[in-house]
Amino acid sequence: MKACGLIVEYNPFHNGHVYHLKNAKNVSNADCMITVMSGSFLQRGEPAIIDKFYRTKAAVTSGIDIVVELPYAFAVQSSDLFARGSVLTLQALGVDSICFGSESGDITDFISGYHLFNEQAELFRETLTTQLQQGLSFPEASKAAYQKIGLTTAGMDLTKPNNILGFSYVKAILENNLPIEPLTIKRSKSGYHDKTITSSIASATSIREQLFADNKITPEIAAAIPEATKEQLNRYRHIATSWHQWEDYFPLLHYRVMTMTEQELSAIQGVDEGLEYRLKKTAKHATSFENWMEQLKTKRYTWTRLQRMFVHILTNTKKRDMTFVLEMASMPYVRLLGLTKTGRQYLNSIKKQIEIPVITKLSRNMHPLLHLEEKASAAYYSILPPALQMKLRSQELQPPIMDP
Amino acid sequence: MKACGLIVEYNPFHNGHVYHLKNAKNVSNADCMITVMSGSFLQRGEPAIIDKFYRTKAAVTSGIDIVVELPYAFAVQSSDLFARGSVLTLQALGVDSICFGSESGDITDFISGYHLFNEQAELFRETLTTQLQQGLSFPEASKAAYQKIGLTTAGMDLTKPNNILGFSYVKAILENNLPIEPLTIKRSKSGYHDKTITSSIASATSIREQLFADNKITPEIAAAIPEATKEQLNRYRHIATSWHQWEDYFPLLHYRVMTMTEQELSAIQGVDEGLEYRLKKTAKHATSFENWMEQLKTKRYTWTRLQRMFVHILTNTKKRDMTFVLEMASMPYVRLLGLTKTGRQYLNSIKKQIEIPVITKLSRNMHPLLHLEEKASAAYYSILPPALQMKLRSQELQPPIMDP
């Protein structure tokens, strides 16, 4: 059986993802579609609007054959680490290809881009360092460095979010000489950051904005998501009374920072360059998450970077918990969240080739990555009533979600 | 001017405290009555029902001339440290006497008790150690050790809470050879732990129980507290919508423990003897503070000890933050919370004899004890809406409360 991997967050799973799935299946000619999905917290440093189990259910009901979890330690990271964790996870599951969306839809742009990047690696690093020293944010400095080495041409514009992630995937595959074919399909029209829903293909950002603005699934939203997503969004909200967003976590986050010393803060992943002082100072006057972020934000500290830092504060993730992640050349396990009949057949067919444990239940003693997962899960549910927390956390100990 | 010191919590200030004040003034023949009062959290490991500023206001309106704060590091401690911090604070303010309530009302019982205790110190310690090793709680083991050396006779029964505290005060005075006369008055009839209000002199415990049960000041409660307390209880509840109790802090506390490792927990003051494992294990099933406590409690871990531990978890107070407290032979400052005209006259009269700073505003850079105070205050208010937290915390930066 042939498998194709997708790297996703499904926050929530929408028609754009259906389009991605369909086209990826076409171009890859795969029998089995495998996704590696962020869990409780997302790459841009946000809580997922509904938990990973409900998102998995929507995915496997909508044609995804296997959903595995991207460990927290890779999920809430900049694009290179996020990509490395995702690609290594898919590689462990023996995918033949990985297919991602991009602006041009032409994989040769990415491959020649990668070679150009490699030839100019020194110039890139020098420019990046200089720009960072001048106080630019990492994305801004990267942009300048990509410009310097010519990676902002029409075919390969690394200022577009989807291109950056795609480039990181290609880099992770080629750098590690993985036997995976990178594939790309042209993105459908809606932009990554669009704020309003304008058609049946809308960005996840615009869908979330609309969900929170209307506090229900309007016909507009319903037109942009498959039935399975509608069902899971409604089911989750029925038990949790609302979808998750940053403001819900503000009291916990604020309490934490108010009772930590600067020294303790500086041990947390993402609290760098004196941010600990800024955090303590601004905490005294913060009245909401949004308000706090506005106080913290500067040219140097981007919104995404600050949000990721807040996730790590919330989950109490220390720098020392993360250092080993940088050294990892392969994944220690794969955690299966859900699968279809096809997914099960595929796993059976390659059972002997998978070299690492495929686990389903969260057991903290297995690996430090799972300990981080446990804390992330506890933090994610911590805004809910105690009995409900217990019930939702117990999903971590269940067998994978099956469809049908 | 002659001054008498009282060691109090005023949670809340009630008729029994008025009685104590009046009688202490009589027996001490003092011109100025000074209290050292616990701040946000109390000796038995509980949040104060209203904040220290509102409690101070009730006290100075009811005849207390000076209210100073017992630092957090001494307030949430076993009786000996609590007593030492209190006595040293009063000593810094030059009191001539300290007057406390006791069962017999006879100070000679305490003084001869102290000498007996000193003579039998070795036997006491041996018995205590043996009993602790056999798994008894500290209070149980102490009781057995006091029995062994004969300190449970009618005149000096150290199984009564008020006697234990009184004995600790006398010990702190005599051990340090302080020029302070210990005085005691016989307690009015209501027991320390009485649960119901039976007369106009009721225990603070029964008043709190009744306040939370009725969620208002009933005529019964009103008859047991002075008008000033009624006013402050109402004023505080008007802005905070409720009085503080442990259950309000359960979500924060639970979130904290769920996102801490056992190792991090064991660094917290009061998390000893493997309690970190018990905490993590029970947290998974805890549905309320009460429920969690019931799960944690054993013969060895008393309710009070566990509550103190929870206060330290809530305020993120580490063992290393507290070690220096054991070494302190004098207080580094006195923090003035409130005073009357008489109080001001007294302070002016002894200004030159006070050897340590008398401060009013909380400034964390002054001393590590104040840093703990700042965290305790932040944690105490953390259950309130952000703007209200800010407003109430700002009291920490105001001049002392004056009456009239």
Side-chain angles (χ1 to χ4, degrees):
Chain A
M1 283 174 87
K2 216 171 158 181
C4 173
L6 310 178
I7 296 162
V8 305
E9 302 210 293
Y10 291 165
N11 186 41
F13 186 79
H14 57 60
N15 291 348
H17 297 127
V18 176
Y19 168 95
H20 179 204
L21 167 63
K22 216 176 90 186
N23 283 275
K25 197 158 183 160
N26 271 343
V27 298
S28 67
N29 202 20
D31 312 293
C32 178
M33 301 302 291
I34 304 180
T35 60
V36 54
M37 186 180 82
S38 305
S40 304
F41 296 94
L42 309 175
Q43 201 246 335
R44 293 180 61 213
E46 282 168 6
I49 59 168
I50 60 175
D51 80 15
K52 54 195 172 194
F53 304 104
Y54 284 70
R55 273 149 55 229
T56 295
K57 179 71 181 162
V60 292
T61 316
S62 304
I64 300 293
D65 295 308
I66 296 177
V67 180
V68 296
E69 181 172 38
L70 179 62
Y72 175 86
F74 290 97
V76 187
Q77 291 278 16
S78 57
S79 55
D80 276 356
L81 271 172
F82 176 84
R84 199 204 298 171
S86 303
V87 167
L88 289 175
T89 300
L90 291 171
Q91 191 250 330
L93 288 171
V95 298
D96 303 278
S97 59
I98 286 176
C99 183
F100 57 88
S102 65
E103 305 299 328
S104 73
D106 185 351
I107 198 67
T108 58
D109 290 339
F110 286 86
I111 294 174
S112 56
Y114 171 73
H115 292 304
L116 175 61
F117 177 79
N118 257 4
E119 285 155 21
Q120 304 284 333
E122 202 168 330
L123 180 60
F124 178 84
R125 268 195 297 273
E126 271 171 19
T127 317
L128 187 68
T129 310
T130 315
Q131 297 298 319
L132 286 172
Q133 279 165 354
Q134 282 172 17
L136 282 194
S137 69
F138 189 82
E140 289 288 331
S142 303
K143 192 171 158 178
Y146 283 131
Q147 247 154 3
K148 189 83 173 188
I149 64 171
L151 278 177
T152 43
T153 57
M156 183 70 277
D157 184 352
L158 284 181
T159 63
K160 305 268 164 121
N162 272 287
N163 281 348
I164 291 175
L165 278 171
F167 186 70
S168 295
Y169 303 148
V170 171
K171 215 160 56 165
I173 293 170
L174 299 182
E175 259 174 11
N176 296 288
N177 290 315
L178 302 179
I180 295 174
E181 184 187 9
L183 298 171
T184 187
I185 52 173
K186 198 166 159 45
R187 280 174 57 69
S188 61
K189 59 195 163 170
S190 191
Y192 187 64
H193 287 301
D194 279 2
K195 295 275 170 139
T196 51
I197 301 177
T198 51
S199 75
S200 68
I201 303 263
S203 71
T205 307
S206 66
I207 293 170
R208 289 194 303 272
E209 295 252 334
Q210 207 64 52
L211 279 171
F212 286 114
D214 298 326
N215 200 22
K216 64 176 180 200
I217 301 174
T218 58
E220 239 183 342
I221 300 169
I225 56 178
E227 189 57 32
T229 299
K230 193 177 156 191
E231 197 184 322
Q232 296 313 314
L233 283 171
N234 278 331
R235 267 186 68 215
Y236 193 85
R237 207 186 47 167
H238 180 70
I239 59 159
T241 74
S242 70
W243 299 302
H244 293 235
Q245 57 181 326
W246 256 129
E247 288 299 348
D248 304 329
Y249 295 89
F250 174 71
L252 296 176
L253 209 48
H254 184 249
Y255 151 73
R256 265 305 273 152
V257 172
M258 289 297 289
T259 52
M260 287 173 90
T261 62
E262 281 88 353
Q263 206 194 344
E264 286 167 341
L265 275 166
S266 73
I268 298 284
Q269 173 77 7
V271 182
D272 302 310
E273 302 169 10
L275 260 172
E276 61 271 28
Y277 299 102
R278 219 174 149 75
L279 269 167
K280 286 294 281 185
K281 221 174 125 184
T282 50
K284 288 191 177 141
H285 309 285
T287 52
S288 69
F289 183 77
E290 179 92 10
N291 167 281
W292 202 357
M293 287 288 289
E294 291 293 353
Q295 286 186 56
L296 280 168
K297 210 185 154 227
T298 64
K299 197 173 163 63
R300 188 187 205 103
Y301 307 132
T302 62
W303 197 269
T304 300
R305 177 177 169 182
L306 292 171
Q307 285 198 143
R308 274 191 211 124
M309 171 195 76
F310 271 133
V311 173
H312 300 313
I313 293 174
L314 185 73
T315 57
N316 191 26
T317 303
K318 306 288 172 67
K319 284 170 184 158
R320 65 160 185 268
D321 298 332
M322 292 290 224
T323 41
F324 74 96
V325 169
L326 296 170
E327 316 289 320
M328 283 172 66
S330 66
M331 299 305 279
Y333 65 84
V334 173
R335 180 159 182 225
L336 195 57
L337 291 176
L339 72 174
T340 60
K341 214 171 136 190
T342 307
R344 185 182 287 266
Q345 281 166 359
Y346 174 77
L347 284 183
N348 278 333
S349 77
I350 59 146
K351 213 169 10 187
K352 287 182 186 148
Q353 294 152 56
I354 303 182
E355 290 165 349
I356 56 176
V358 176
I359 63 166
T360 57
K361 299 174 189 178
L362 198 156
S363 161
R364 63 188 305 204
N365 295 327
M366 285 194 63
H367 196 274
L369 283 187
L370 286 167
H371 188 200
L372 294 181
E373 220 61 60
E374 190 189 29
K375 290 206 295 181
S377 179
Y380 180 75
Y381 294 124
S382 62
I383 53 168
L384 301 171
L388 181 57
Q389 283 184 44
M390 227 186 291
K391 184 183 157 157
L392 291 172
R393 277 202 321 269
S394 75
Q395 297 175 102
E396 301 277 12
L397 303 173
Q398 298 302 312
I401 291 157
M402 293 292 297
D403 188 89
Chain B
M1 285 174 84
K2 217 171 157 182
C4 173
L6 310 178
I7 297 162
V8 305
E9 302 210 296
Y10 291 166
N11 186 42
F13 187 80
H14 58 60
N15 291 348
H17 297 127
V18 176
Y19 169 95
H20 178 203
L21 167 63
K22 217 176 91 187
N23 283 275
K25 197 157 184 162
N26 271 342
V27 299
S28 67
N29 201 21
D31 311 294
C32 178
M33 300 303 289
I34 305 180
T35 62
V36 54
M37 186 180 84
S38 304
S40 304
F41 296 93
L42 308 174
Q43 202 244 333
R44 293 181 60 215
E46 282 168 7
I49 58 167
I50 59 175
D51 81 14
K52 56 195 173 194
F53 303 104
Y54 284 70
R55 273 149 57 229
T56 296
K57 179 72 181 162
V60 293
T61 316
S62 304
I64 301 294
D65 295 308
I66 296 177
V67 180
V68 297
E69 182 172 37
L70 179 63
Y72 174 86
F74 289 97
V76 187
Q77 292 278 18
S78 58
S79 56
D80 276 356
L81 271 170
F82 176 85
R84 199 204 297 170
S86 303
V87 167
L88 289 175
T89 300
L90 291 170
Q91 190 250 333
L93 288 170
V95 298
D96 303 277
S97 59
I98 286 176
C99 183
F100 57 89
S102 65
E103 305 298 329
S104 73
D106 185 351
I107 196 68
T108 58
D109 291 338
F110 286 87
I111 293 173
S112 56
Y114 171 74
H115 293 303
L116 175 61
F117 176 79
N118 257 6
E119 284 155 24
Q120 305 284 333
E122 202 168 328
L123 179 60
F124 178 84
R125 266 195 298 272
E126 270 170 20
T127 316
L128 187 68
T129 309
T130 314
Q131 298 298 321
L132 286 172
Q133 279 164 354
Q134 283 171 17
L136 283 195
S137 68
F138 189 83
E140 289 288 331
S142 303
K143 192 171 156 179
Y146 284 132
Q147 247 154 2
K148 190 86 173 187
I149 65 171
L151 278 176
T152 43
T153 57
M156 183 69 278
D157 184 352
L158 283 181
T159 63
K160 305 267 164 121
N162 272 287
N163 280 349
I164 292 176
L165 278 171
F167 185 71
S168 295
Y169 304 148
V170 171
K171 214 159 58 163
I173 294 170
L174 299 183
E175 260 174 11
N176 297 288
N177 290 314
L178 302 179
I180 295 174
E181 184 186 11
L183 299 171
T184 187
I185 52 173
K186 197 166 159 46
R187 280 175 56 71
S188 61
K189 58 193 165 171
S190 191
Y192 187 64
H193 288 300
D194 279 1
K195 294 275 170 137
T196 51
I197 301 177
T198 50
S199 75
S200 68
I201 303 264
S203 71
T205 307
S206 67
I207 293 169
R208 288 195 302 272
E209 295 252 333
Q210 207 64 52
L211 278 170
F212 286 114
D214 298 326
N215 199 20
K216 65 176 179 199
I217 301 175
T218 58
E220 240 183 341
I221 301 169
I225 56 178
E227 190 56 31
T229 299
K230 193 178 156 188
E231 196 183 325
Q232 297 312 315
L233 283 171
N234 278 330
R235 266 187 68 216
Y236 193 85
R237 205 184 49 165
H238 180 69
I239 59 158
T241 74
S242 70
W243 300 301
H244 294 234
Q245 58 180 326
W246 255 129
E247 289 298 349
D248 305 329
Y249 295 89
F250 174 71
L252 296 176
L253 209 49
H254 185 250
Y255 152 73
R256 266 304 273 151
V257 172
M258 289 296 289
T259 52
M260 288 173 90
T261 62
E262 280 89 354
Q263 205 193 346
E264 286 167 342
L265 275 166
S266 73
I268 299 284
Q269 173 76 8
V271 182
D272 301 312
E273 302 169 10
L275 260 172
E276 61 272 26
Y277 300 101
R278 221 175 147 73
L279 269 167
K280 286 294 281 185
K281 220 174 127 184
T282 50
K284 288 191 176 141
H285 310 284
T287 52
S288 70
F289 182 77
E290 180 91 11
N291 168 280
W292 202 356
M293 287 287 288
E294 292 292 354
Q295 285 187 55
L296 280 168
K297 210 183 154 230
T298 64
K299 199 173 162 62
R300 187 184 206 107
Y301 308 131
T302 62
W303 197 269
T304 300
R305 177 177 168 183
L306 291 170
Q307 286 198 146
R308 275 190 210 124
M309 172 196 74
F310 272 132
V311 173
H312 299 312
I313 293 175
L314 186 72
T315 57
N316 190 25
T317 303
K318 307 286 174 66
K319 284 170 183 156
R320 65 157 187 270
D321 298 333
M322 292 290 224
T323 42
F324 73 97
V325 168
L326 296 169
E327 316 288 320
M328 283 173 67
S330 65
M331 299 305 279
Y333 64 85
V334 173
R335 181 160 181 222
L336 195 57
L337 291 176
L339 71 175
T340 59
K341 213 171 137 190
T342 307
R344 184 182 288 268
Q345 280 166 2
Y346 174 77
L347 283 183
N348 278 333
S349 77
I350 60 144
K351 212 168 11 185
K352 285 182 188 150
Q353 296 151 56
I354 304 184
E355 289 165 349
I356 56 176
V358 176
I359 64 166
T360 56
K361 299 173 189 179
L362 199 156
S363 160
R364 61 187 306 203
N365 296 326
M366 285 194 64
H367 196 275
L369 283 187
L370 286 167
H371 188 199
L372 293 181
E373 220 61 60
E374 190 190 29
K375 289 205 295 180
S377 179
Y380 180 76
Y381 294 125
S382 62
I383 53 167
L384 301 171
L388 181 58
Q389 282 185 44
M390 226 187 291
K391 184 183 158 157
L392 290 172
R393 278 203 320 269
S394 74
Q395 297 175 102
E396 300 278 12
L397 304 173
Q398 298 302 312
I401 291 156
M402 294 290 298
D403 188 88

